[in-house]
Amino acid sequence: MNPSYLYHAFGVRHQECSKTEYKGNQNIHYIQTKSEELCCPECKSRKIIRSGSIYRDIRSVPVGHRETILRMKVQRIECKSCGCIRQEKIHFVTGKRSYTNKFARYVVDLSRIGTIKDVAQFLHVSWDTVKDIQKRYLQRHYGNPALSRLEYIGIDEFAVRKGHVYKTIVADLQTGQVVYVGEGKSASALDEFWKKIRKAGAVIKAVATDLSAAFMSSVRENAPNATLVFDHFHIVKLMNDTLDKLRRQAYHQETDLLKRKVLKGTRWLLLCNGEDIYDACHRNRLENALEMNAPLMKGYYLKESLREIWMQVDKEQAQRVLMKWVEQARDSKVPLLMKFANTMTAFRSGIIAWYDYHISTGKLEGINNKIKTMKRQAYGYRDDKFFELKILSLHDKNYAFVG
Ligand SMILES: [Zn+2]
């Protein structure tokens, strides 16, 4: 076979082909290293003695819908210069792998248009081979994200499986890139991250988190100069949860069946933004429900006014609005609302810190949604490291693998 074809088609440069067989669906090329190219794998000396050889089958890229096998005669070499006895080095394969580097690249390219299963079926290789090739590629490109310029981060957790298996992710809020994936959702999930941050010499300016005590203490301990910003979507969500509890309490206390029915159907009306309810019939219904139950009505108006905290012209004004809100919640004498007022007081500085840094964990919600679809496509990702690498590569749409 033409040496330049051997090189351009299969990336084989130092070998020559002595014969080709066509068996079944395979083109089998018998190749061996040219005599003048043989050298010691250790010291590169040409003063060598050949001491036996073995054949090794190596997959390469298919040609004409047929599999390509490079049947390589691998020389055992005895070096007269350094004395080592070794097999010759094969430049187009990495280590003991059964496929060429060019084949691995072909798998990577195909992985952008098909799932692991598709690619494995198409190339007649195992699912694990395709996955391993993807994994090595992901490790090389995304395994060690650059951290030295990291300044604004968001931390959030997500459920890996049903039950209580969690992972913690850290995202660069400027690029939307996931820069770290940790085990669990306790403070120790972030230990490795801080180690990497110190090593990279990064100075974190602000961190957006939910109200997780574990994340908070971890940030305070490891980045004491960073400003903690409590994500306002999480706070609004907590308020919504409180309001829904009030609705359920009202429902259970109500003895009039007709009124119960009204309360039951108002959940989404209570939780959506009041100004978004245009429909007169819906408005009516909401008002009826609120009139039935005083705690529910108090809760509803507190929920509606909560977002004003993030709509002020400056931090001082916001501080006043927040304290006023807390006062009203306490005055309500509704236990659930008073409890929420305490939460707001405890997290006051982190809530108001939004005026110093307009950051939130919103980007992480998007990432979480992507992870959810990924989990469904890949049967749960039994290989944890592979799953982690897939998450680290999520931001890179140009190189995304299917599945
Ligand atoms: Zn040598």
Side-chain angles (χ1 to χ4, degrees):
M1 186 191 293
N2 182 333
S4 85
Y5 180 72
L6 208 55
Y7 173 61
H8 290 289
F10 309 120
V12 173
R13 188 195 283 269
H14 306 289
Q15 284 72 22
E16 56 198 357
C17 179
S18 55
K19 70 168 175 179
T20 299
E21 279 176 3
Y22 305 99
K23 272 190 185 163
N25 191 37
Q26 295 182 327
N27 300 341
I28 306 168
H29 305 294
Y30 287 76
I31 59 169
Q32 61 194 47
T33 305
K34 295 170 199 160
S35 298
E36 66 271 24
E37 303 267 8
L38 268 180
C39 68
C40 166
E42 281 295 314
C43 72
K44 308 276 180 275
S45 165
R46 306 244 178 221
K47 288 183 189 163
I48 50 156
I49 304 166
R50 299 178 192 209
S51 62
S53 63
I54 53 152
Y55 276 100
R56 195 172 142 190
D57 278 3
I58 303 161
R59 274 295 296 272
S60 193
V61 291
V63 171
H65 279 286
R66 295 166 67 84
E67 291 174 20
T68 299
I69 306 287
L70 301 175
R71 188 156 289 165
M72 165 105 181
K73 187 181 183 184
V74 185
Q75 277 296 337
R76 195 155 158 269
I77 284 169
E78 217 181 302
C79 177
K80 287 202 276 187
S81 302
C82 73
C84 81
I85 305 172
R86 284 269 164 85
Q87 273 187 4
E88 63 170 307
K89 184 165 171 38
I90 313 172
H91 294 274
F92 54 88
V93 181
T94 307
K96 294 275 174 214
R97 278 164 217 163
S98 60
Y99 46 83
T100 65
N101 297 333
K102 200 141 186 168
F103 183 80
R105 227 169 61 211
Y106 190 58
V107 167
V108 165
D109 286 344
L110 287 174
S111 297
R112 289 181 189 126
I113 51 171
T115 62
I116 295 180
K117 201 174 154 198
D118 295 337
V119 177
Q121 274 175 356
F122 179 68
L123 293 173
H124 299 111
V125 291
S126 72
W127 191 93
D128 286 312
T129 302
V130 176
K131 193 208 80 177
D132 285 345
I133 291 172
Q134 284 195 1
K135 189 175 170 181
R136 280 197 201 94
Y137 176 87
L138 292 171
Q139 175 61 40
R140 205 163 54 243
H141 288 84
Y142 307 102
N144 292 300
L147 299 175
S148 63
R149 291 189 187 166
L150 204 57
E151 290 182 323
Y152 306 101
I153 57 170
I155 307 174
D156 205 356
E157 81 267 343
F158 67 91
V160 181
R161 285 186 284 273
K162 275 188 189 142
H164 298 286
V165 186
Y166 290 91
K167 279 189 188 289
T168 295
I169 49 176
V170 180
D172 180 341
L173 293 179
Q174 282 172 306
T175 62
Q177 181 185 353
V178 176
V179 292
Y180 175 80
V181 182
E183 295 297 317
K185 56 171 184 173
S186 64
S188 65
L190 290 166
D191 287 352
E192 200 56 37
F193 172 71
W194 298 118
K195 242 186 249 172
K196 288 182 175 180
I197 285 295
R198 278 189 286 274
K199 207 170 150 202
V203 181
I204 305 292
K205 288 187 179 161
V207 184
T209 70
D210 58 12
L211 303 176
S212 148
F215 294 160
M216 257 181 262
S217 70
S218 175
V219 172
R220 288 210 173 104
E221 193 186 320
N222 293 285
N225 296 321
T227 302
L228 260 173
V229 181
F230 295 130
D231 182 58
H232 64 281
F233 296 108
H234 276 96
I235 295 165
V236 170
K237 188 181 172 294
L238 265 185
M239 181 67 224
N240 281 346
D241 292 346
T242 303
L243 189 62
D244 199 38
K245 273 184 205 155
L246 280 174
R247 181 189 62 90
R248 266 177 285 151
Q249 277 182 0
Y251 173 82
H252 290 298
Q253 285 159 4
E254 187 56 66
T255 46
D256 185 326
L257 278 177
L258 215 69
K259 288 183 175 177
R260 272 189 122 176
K261 215 177 153 195
V262 172
L263 284 167
K264 192 166 184 166
T266 46
R267 183 171 184 273
W268 75 270
L269 282 174
L270 283 166
L271 301 188
C272 75
N273 276 355
E275 47 204 58
D276 293 340
I277 305 172
Y278 300 113
D279 193 305
C281 162
H282 286 158
R283 276 197 170 282
N284 247 331
R285 193 178 178 145
L286 177 64
E287 274 158 27
N288 285 341
L290 294 177
E291 270 164 28
M292 268 177 224
N293 187 286
L296 188 64
M297 183 185 281
K298 286 175 183 168
Y300 178 79
Y301 287 111
L302 280 166
K303 182 218 73 161
E304 282 293 287
S305 61
L306 185 71
R307 55 179 179 274
E308 280 171 23
I309 295 170
W310 293 277
M311 289 157 78
Q312 301 308 312
V313 286
D314 59 31
K315 199 175 168 179
E316 286 67 36
Q317 191 62 29
Q319 180 87 20
R320 277 194 287 276
V321 172
L322 189 149
M323 290 326 287
K324 182 97 185 123
W325 191 95
V326 165
E327 206 184 296
Q328 284 174 339
R330 283 188 178 140
D331 286 348
S332 74
K333 303 288 177 224
V334 179
L336 275 171
L337 296 173
M338 290 165 81
K339 192 177 154 213
F340 196 79
N342 289 342
T343 308
M344 290 294 281
T345 316
F347 296 121
R348 188 171 67 223
S349 66
I351 294 169
I352 297 299
W354 185 79
Y355 284 89
D356 298 322
Y357 298 100
H358 279 22
I359 55 173
S360 78
T361 57
K363 274 200 175 110
L364 286 127
E365 296 296 321
I367 292 166
N368 273 345
N369 288 335
K370 281 189 194 167
I371 293 171
K372 265 182 218 155
T373 44
M374 212 166 83
K375 275 192 295 192
R376 274 201 295 276
Q377 283 167 356
Y379 319 111
Y381 283 105
R382 277 154 296 175
D383 180 343
D384 232 31
K385 183 70 191 168
F386 183 56
F387 184 39
E388 184 188 318
L389 287 167
K390 291 277 284 187
I391 295 170
L392 289 171
S393 70
L394 270 178
H395 64 286
D396 205 341
K397 289 187 195 73
N398 297 326
Y399 293 96
F401 290 155
V402 176

